[in-house]
Amino acid sequence: MTMSASIPADDTGHHPALAGYAPASTGERILGYLLDAVVGGVIGFIAFVPLFAALLSLGGSSSSDEVGGALSIGLVGAIAVNVVFCVLALYVLFAKGSRVGAILLGLQNVDVQTGRVSGGKTFLKYLLQSLVIGLTLGLGAILLVATIRPGLGRNWFDRATGVVVINNRRGRKPGAPAAETATGVPERMPPPAIQQVAFPGSASPFGQGAPAIGAPGGVASGGMPLPSAPQPAPVSPLDSWQPATRPSAPAPSNTPFAPSPPNSPFAPPSAGGFPGTSAPSASPHSPSPSEVFPGAPVAPAFDVGYVAQPAAPSFPNALDFGVPAPTPTFAEPAPLVRDMRPPQEPVSAPVAGGGNELDRTLARSFTTVRIRVDNGEVLDIDTPVLLGRNPGQLPGFESARLIPVADLARSISKTHLAVGPDGAGVWVEDLNSMNGVRVTVPGGAPTKAIVGQRYPVPPGGRVEFGDRSFVVVAG
């Protein structure tokens, strides 16, 4: 499988599920945090409004009971406002994958593997972020910007939890299908326009009144209008829809060794066989076999002559652009000479084990073996491939394809294993990986692969490498 250049990617690998998304810029993320602070301050001020109102309603001579009752009412109001804000924040966090301030800018967190909003991963990200900032007395906030990597603009917290911050106002929204061109599939070209087609000298096949192509007042095949000039009437049966009548055959002559009668399928066309045409005259002499092959035995007196070539038929009502058509010319056909040498039997080279090797047809397989990775991605295994976090070329695999596999847990080695076609299945080889390779054939138990040995895996077999795996599927 060839990765398209338009598939989003960063240092952790390619992410086809993010096609069409617009990653949020660093400025947009900083603006989102500032807007969150403003929203939090406004909500805090609104929460204490009932408390301030209750205190202001009391006079200077109020008793302690009245003050306590007013404070209780104010605290209840403040708690109610905070509870409503917390419920709203949790809804935005789990349903929209964002914060209250960031969602106003169109910023959302989506899973890099599925391309959908993941409330659980978003909650884990902000929980981890709060713990790091709290334990470092605020210094951990520097990681929010300092660890941003190019490509998808993800910081350390994004990569640790497997999410990416996108702006749904500049690109695809979560849940919407990706555009066809974002996956590398070319757009379909519009079908060509339908053009009228007519035969020379006939009316338009699209109904009465429509001028035919090449007719007066019509258009040429390239769309250029033609002058309205009178056309000559049909002079040949080929220019009309009526079938041409077959001319009568001439009477056979009494000359010895005359050509075949007209009813013979090997007879040359006679004069008048095509309307408006004539056959060239026969050559007065045909060379004998002794003239072509000196010393060859003389064959019985039999002259096959030559096959007469008919002249090209004319089409008076063909496309007329005002330029006279050139007169076709034909070269004199060469006489046919019969080879009088005796035929020789073909000699086949002896083949060990009996039989002729040229008579055997080798079977050729047209099936394509594929593997389905645990994230649903399907790879064609028509040549050896190397899988790993960041695979590189190895001795013995110079022509192998390199396919990186994303692994946040780093359980896969840089160049973990090799996979190649093997009949209806594949073979796998452990390339001295850290966590090894486990092969499970249908109906069998998992087998740990030995480094440097190839293991055949039939369709339906499962191969585990690190925390990732794939299943062999038949083409």
Side-chain angles (χ1 to χ4, degrees), residues 3 20 49 100 123 148 158 183 279 295 303 310 312 317-318 322 327 359 378 424 470:
M3 293 292 182
V49 166
V100 176
F123 175 78
I148 291 180
D158 298 329
T183 60
D303 188 2
N317 254 8
T327 303
D359 294 337
V378 178
F470 65 82

Side-chain angles (χ1 to χ4, degrees), residues 28 36 38 55 78 88 107 170 179 221 254 263 331 359 407 420 440:
E28 291 172 341
D36 286 331
V38 173
L55 293 176
L88 176 63
L107 306 183
R170 294 191 290 107
S221 60
N254 296 326
N263 293 333
D359 294 337
D407 181 31
T440 305

Side-chain angles (χ1 to χ4, degrees), residues 19 29 77 89 103 115 172 188 198-199 209 225 259 316 334 338 389-390 414 469:
R29 300 180 68 157
I103 196 64
R172 167 188 166 197
R188 297 180 179 178
F199 291 94
R338 174 172 297 179
R389 285 188 295 107
N390 187 17
K414 181 179 178 181
S469 62

